[in-house]
Amino acid sequence: MSSLEKGIVPGVVDSSDKKSLANDYLLASLRTKWGCDTSILLSSFDLDILNLRGKKILEIIRNGFMIQSGHNLILTQKGRFLADTIIGDLMVD
């Protein structure tokens, strides 16, 4: 019986682990006007981004690339130009 007959698609990797999902959330949410809700990262993915990447987040905020509004981290207009770099700095291994 082939992989397809068994319902397995060759070459597809299941990325449902919490770190991958948290990184996906960071990638998608930081590009929105609402930003990344750190409470969602904690409750849904067990990721305390403020403790894990707190120093980097403060540096990004001090440089004017991001603001924190309540639980949300939001890229500024200036930060949107560097979104790929900023998101890469915040992603978890």
Side-chain angles (χ1 to χ4, degrees), residues 9-68:
V9 179
V12 175
V13 177
D14 181 15
S15 64
S16 62
D17 66 279
K18 285 189 177 187
K19 285 182 182 178
S20 292
L21 292 172
N23 284 334
D24 289 345
Y25 177 74
L26 274 168
L27 183 67
S29 65
L30 276 174
R31 295 180 184 282
T32 69
K33 67 179 181 180
W34 303 281
C36 174
D37 187 332
T38 59
S39 65
I40 290 176
L41 282 173
L42 187 57
S43 65
S44 297
F45 309 111
D46 299 323
L47 178 63
D48 188 350
I49 194 77
L50 296 176
N51 280 331
L52 186 65
R53 299 282 191 260
K55 288 180 183 178
K56 189 64 181 177
I57 290 169
L58 285 176
E59 178 186 334
I60 294 166
I61 290 171
R62 273 190 240 118
N63 288 325
F65 300 124
M66 180 184 285
I67 61 169
Q68 184 171 4

